Amino acid sequence: MQTLTVELGDRAYPIHIGPGLLDRADLVLPHLIQKRAVIVTNTTVGPLYLERLAKTLREAGVQVDSIVLPDGEVYKNWETLNLIFDGLLTQRAERKTTLIALGGGVIGDLTGFAAACYQRGMPFIQIPTTLLAQVDSSVGGKTGINHPLGKNMIGAFYQPQLVLADTETLNTLPERELSAGLAEVIKYGLIRDLPFLEWLEANMGALMARDTAALTYAIHRSCQNKADVVAADERESGQRALLNLGHTFGHAIETGMGYGNWLHGEGVSAGTMLAADLSCRMGLISAADVDRIAALFRRVGLPVVAPDLGYDAYMDYMGVDKKVEAGRIRFVLFQKLGEAFVSGDYDPDALRATLTEAVSKY
Ligand code: NAD
Ligand code: GLY
């Protein structure tokens, strides 16, 4: 097992990464205020891992209840959030009961937001079971839900007590979901870690084949990158926005195509290619750089051409992005490979060209 820490003073917390962690009550117990936990999961992950985790905790003397939600991005909304509150109230969960998110980013975001709200805040633990959740969404305390008009627009910053990434759970992950997770892994290389990007180019085959050592290394390095950024800028007043590379375009794609049709990682991949195309049109990076990024995404089986939603629709969706300031959309652009920056100072003609020429009908 490998451990790293998100350094947030008295709210610092560990991320444990390794095989078989669902069986390790000793890692969870120090973080429980009372010996009581409610596990939130969904109809896909529940049958795979809920009983195993519940047994681990029960054998350690913890009272365990569970809430099983429907599965899908389309359920990351108020109605499903309310199902968590229904369960917590029915089970008489208390303010010191710990809420545990067992699942991918959808479960993690919903559960974290519920934990931030229930009785004005109860402790919670992230047990991510997708690659995307293990490298990104379970770390850093962004929680929330979607709105029909905009992705992740309702939520709270609320840090977990602990992140437990059991790498064995990735063995049951569908291929398409593994690829979607790799989009966020590649992101870290692109925005701030060129040596990691080069490592990914050399080791993508091993990652796709789910080689344990390669996956563990990639998860650890991704979490280290994320933990560093979050420790420096928890509330996204500056550099944390870099973690949104491709997301301004990507969220528009996810919303415009209907939640769940394009996976989050797929939106990030195609969205990153739009950010690269815009950066290239603005003379920041070369066409060869753009090709190099596309080649890596292609190897993972991720989309590199964004859907043609229409210029106006893209602008409408991106107009409700969380990075908008004084009505101006801000993008994460490339300074060079391995170095990104946030800017509202883009060339509008270049943006129009990107959104009309670098897209395709799907
Ligand atoms: P997801 O939660 O929808 O999980 C993907 C699918 O895999 C689901 O069907 C799920 O039930 C299934 N699954 C999960 N674990 C499994 C396992 N071990 N074996 C088999 N199937 C399994 O999607 P995701 O990609 O994990 O997360 C995407 C969400 O995360 C998006 O809503 C996105 O906005 C959010 N996100 C949040 C942050 C953040 O900082 N909070 C960061 C990135 C993404
Ligand atoms: N996934 C972006 C962030 O956590 O800031």
Side-chain angles (χ1 to χ4, degrees):
M1 182 181 85
Q2 300 187 23
T3 299
L4 49 99
T5 304
V6 184
E7 302 287 359
L8 287 170
D10 57 3
R11 290 173 300 116
Y13 55 93
I15 305 169
H16 299 304
I17 302 159
L21 302 193
L22 289 179
D23 305 321
R24 295 284 302 273
D26 60 306
L27 298 176
V28 177
L29 287 180
H31 299 278
L32 301 185
I33 302 171
Q34 58 175 206
K35 280 199 152 185
R36 200 167 162 206
V38 177
I39 303 171
V40 181
T41 188
N42 69 24
T43 49
T44 303
V45 180
L48 292 168
Y49 301 114
L50 174 59
E51 214 23 67
R52 182 159 151 214
L53 177 63
K55 181 165 171 280
T56 298
L57 296 175
R58 280 194 193 110
E59 284 178 357
V62 180
Q63 180 192 327
V64 180
D65 293 296
S66 61
I67 297 168
V68 180
L69 302 175
D71 180 14
E73 183 74 40
V74 75
Y75 294 106
K76 193 172 133 178
N77 58 23
W78 276 118
E79 288 75 20
T80 314
L81 185 70
N82 215 31
L83 294 178
I84 304 181
F85 298 138
D86 291 348
L88 290 173
L89 287 162
T90 309
Q91 292 160 7
R92 300 272 187 272
E94 299 176 4
R95 184 180 265 171
K96 290 181 177 169
T97 302
T98 293
L99 205 53
I100 299 181
L102 175 69
V106 169
I107 286 296
D109 282 10
L110 273 163
T111 305
F113 191 30
C117 299
Y118 185 72
Q119 297 198 16
R120 301 199 180 89
M122 68 194 295
F124 94 108
I125 288 174
Q126 289 272 18
I127 305 193
T129 62
T130 63
L131 180 61
L132 185 138
Q134 294 189 355
V135 299
D136 192 349
S137 63
S138 66
V139 175
K142 278 191 183 175
T143 72
I145 56 173
N146 301 327
H147 185 281
L149 297 178
K151 178 134 170 84
N152 291 341
M153 289 306 289
I154 320 290
F157 284 102
Y158 194 64
Q159 301 292 342
Q161 312 293 309
L162 163 73
V163 179
L164 214 59
D166 185 335
T167 48
E168 271 173 9
T169 59
L170 301 181
N171 292 334
T172 53
L173 200 61
E175 206 73 31
R176 188 177 165 200
E177 298 292 350
L178 185 80
S179 294
L182 286 168
E184 300 280 22
V185 173
I186 293 168
K187 171 186 82 180
Y188 295 112
L190 290 173
I191 59 171
R192 71 193 302 275
D193 192 351
L194 185 60
F196 185 37
L197 187 70
E198 287 162 353
W199 183 91
L200 288 168
E201 288 174 324
N203 291 278
M204 196 46 85
L207 289 171
M208 298 288 289
R210 302 185 199 218
D211 175 84
T212 307
L215 273 175
T216 306
Y217 178 79
I219 294 166
H220 186 274
R221 181 111 176 199
S222 298
C223 285
Q224 189 64 65
N225 269 296
K226 179 136 190 193
D228 290 348
V229 171
V230 169
D233 178 25
E234 182 185 7
R235 296 257 166 172
E236 200 167 303
S237 47
Q239 66 162 286
R240 184 164 182 171
L242 298 181
L243 297 174
N244 277 317
L245 173 68
H247 286 56
T248 308
F249 296 111
H251 285 167
I253 295 169
E254 281 186 82
T255 311
M257 296 300 279
Y259 294 131
N261 290 320
W262 276 56
L263 301 183
H264 178 69
E266 294 169 347
V268 168
S269 167
T272 297
M273 291 318 303
L274 291 180
D277 182 87
L278 179 57
S279 304
C280 182
R281 287 177 198 270
M282 290 170 62
L284 293 161
I285 57 172
S286 67
D289 289 332
V290 178
D291 289 345
R292 185 171 162 190
I293 302 169
L296 192 54
F297 283 136
R298 255 193 225 104
R299 277 177 68 194
V300 182
L302 285 164
V304 292
V305 182
D308 184 2
L309 301 177
Y311 174 79
D312 291 339
Y314 263 111
M315 294 306 283
D316 267 0
Y317 288 125
M318 296 192 302
V320 291
D321 186 74
K322 292 187 290 305
K323 288 185 295 306
V324 169
E325 260 181 28
R328 189 155 182 86
I329 301 171
R330 294 183 314 136
F331 292 100
V332 182
L333 298 174
F334 289 96
Q335 194 70 58
K336 57 185 182 190
L337 284 197
E339 194 179 318
F341 69 107
V342 183
S343 176
D345 189 21
Y346 51 86
D347 171 357
D349 291 335
L351 178 63
R352 182 177 283 277
T354 291
L355 291 175
T356 51
E357 292 169 23
V359 294
S360 170
K361 296 270 178 238
Y362 274 87

